[in-house]
Every structure is written in C-alpha cells, then in structure tokens.
Amino acid sequence: MDAFSLSAEEWAAIRLSLQVSVVAMVASLPFGVLTAYVLARGRFWGKSLLNGLVHLPLILPPVVTGYILLILFGRRGPIGAFLADHFGIVLSFRWTGAALACAVMGFPLMVRSIRLSIEAVDGKLEEAAGTLGASPLFVFLTVTLPLMLPGVVAGMILAFAKAMGEFGATITFVSNIPGETQTLSAAIYTFTQVPGGDAGALRLTLVAIVLSMAALLASEALSRVIGKRIHAQ
C-alpha cells in the first residue's frame, strides 16, 4: 500500500470519528444551551455545585470519566441495565457509547462558551421586550438566542473538536474495536503499538490535523457571518 493511501480500516476509523463527533455535538446541544442559560441567568441554591459538576470532566482524568460511565451505563450499571431491559439500548462497547463519552467530555467546553455569550447579552434588551408583553420564551427566541448565536456556534465547534480528539474516556467505556468503536485517536494509538505502524499513525495524524483546522476555520467563518448579521440588524 502506498505510504499516503488510507486502508479500509483507516477510512472506517475516520468515518466513525466524524459520526461520533457529530452525534455527540448535536445530542448535547439542547442540554448545553439549557444548562448555560440556567448558570448565566439563574439565581438558586446549589448553582456552584451544578457549575462544578458540569466542569468536572475537564478536571478528572479522562480514564476516570470513562470508568464512571462504564459503571453507570454498562450492561450491569443502574442506567445501562434499565436502558437495555426496557428499551433494548446498549451503550457500552458500541459506537453510541463512544458518542456518549465524547458528549460528556465536550459538554463543559460547550456550556462555557454558550454561557459567556449569554452573559454578554445586554439584560436591558430582554427587560424591554418583557415590558412590551413578550413571554420569557418569546424573549429568549427573538432577543437572547440571536445575540448568543456566535457563542453557540463556538461551543458546537469546540465540542466537535474535543470529540474528534477524545481517547481516554472512549477507550475505557467502549474499548477499541475496529469497525465498531475504534475512532481516529484509538486507531493512531493502535498503530503506535505495533511494529511498522509509524506510517499509518502518521497518515491518521495528518488527517486529524486537517479535520481540526477545518473545524476551527469553519467556526471563525460562521462567527463572522453571524456577527455581521447581528450588527446589521
């Protein structure tokens, strides 16, 4: 095989990483927006505790996060057993479990970015809309959401990029099964553990760099477009 030609297994790892990253990003977005809004606008007891829990995956070793997921969502875990018995949903050692692990690891970055964008919104604009008779939901959809969109986009890209590079939590929770749970990072790790695997590791490393740069450039472009539309209004 040519030094720069990707094998079928390498393509499978790339496709799986993209699939897992997109699913993790999209599935966590509604929860990220809600959590960020609660942290930015809420005034309640336990807010600091909630903020700490949200950001805990950034502090814990990824392997620890993956092990906690395995305990909770494994076939014998309380949540995993319930999902398997009642809905036939199995997450451990499946690509859906990889998406869950990536969503958990990227969630703090998404929430932080969205929260900062919400806090930057002038509260007087929301109050003015409220005094005109608009409901809280209508105020959020017509005033807050458009102004916080750049932060939402940035949070989505950060979560996607984090998911693309996630390794520790994923391999602990769903293992490293080629074609099923072997993501780009896991495939690179596998190549580094076998003799003569340097070429494969280098190929996938270059792919990871290209995908990460593409995500960052897309984030910048989208943020500029949204920013211009907001200022135009």
Side-chain angles (χ1 to χ4, degrees):
M1 185 179 68
D2 185 83
F4 295 98
S5 298
L6 296 172
S7 66
E9 285 190 357
E10 292 167 5
W11 276 115
I14 295 171
R15 286 193 297 268
L16 181 62
S17 288
L18 291 172
Q19 178 181 348
V20 165
S21 299
V22 170
V23 170
M25 176 187 67
V26 173
S28 61
L29 181 59
F31 302 99
V33 172
L34 177 61
T35 304
Y37 189 83
V38 169
L39 290 176
R41 293 285 191 261
R43 298 291 184 271
F44 57 92
W45 182 89
K47 180 178 177 179
S48 297
L49 178 61
L50 175 60
N51 185 61
L53 289 174
V54 169
H55 290 86
L56 196 59
L58 289 180
I59 303 171
L60 289 175
V63 174
V64 174
T65 301
Y67 183 64
I68 293 174
L69 290 174
L70 187 60
I71 292 175
L72 294 177
F73 291 92
R75 288 298 298 267
R76 298 182 180 179
I79 302 177
F82 176 81
L83 292 175
D85 294 340
H86 293 82
F87 302 100
I89 299 175
V90 179
L91 296 173
S92 57
F93 306 106
R94 303 286 176 85
W95 76 266
T96 49
L100 174 62
C102 290
V104 170
M105 294 302 296
F107 193 70
L109 299 176
M110 176 183 286
V111 170
R112 184 168 182 80
S113 178
I114 298 175
R115 178 184 178 180
L116 291 175
S117 68
I118 295 174
E119 292 176 343
V121 175
D122 190 350
K124 294 180 180 179
L125 297 175
E126 297 172 320
E127 293 176 2
T131 58
L132 294 175
S135 65
L137 178 60
F138 187 78
V139 171
F140 176 79
L141 293 176
T142 59
V143 178
T144 311
L145 184 58
L147 293 175
M148 60 183 269
L149 272 181
V152 173
V153 171
M156 291 174 64
I157 298 300
L158 285 173
F160 176 84
K162 178 64 175 177
M164 284 294 298
E166 177 51 40
F167 174 72
T170 303
I171 200 171
T172 304
F173 183 39
V174 298
S175 189
N176 183 14
I177 306 172
E180 178 64 33
T181 65
Q182 188 178 75
T183 59
L184 189 58
S185 298
I188 293 174
Y189 172 78
T190 300
F191 274 122
T192 63
Q193 301 303 304
V194 298
D198 292 343
L202 178 59
R203 286 193 298 271
L204 293 183
T205 298
L206 293 175
V207 171
I209 293 173
V210 170
L211 291 176
S212 299
M213 284 300 299
L216 291 174
L217 292 176
S219 174
E220 291 293 328
L222 287 173
S223 296
R224 283 198 298 269
V225 171
I226 294 173
K228 288 180 180 178
R229 290 185 177 180
I230 292 175
H231 290 306
Q233 295 174 356

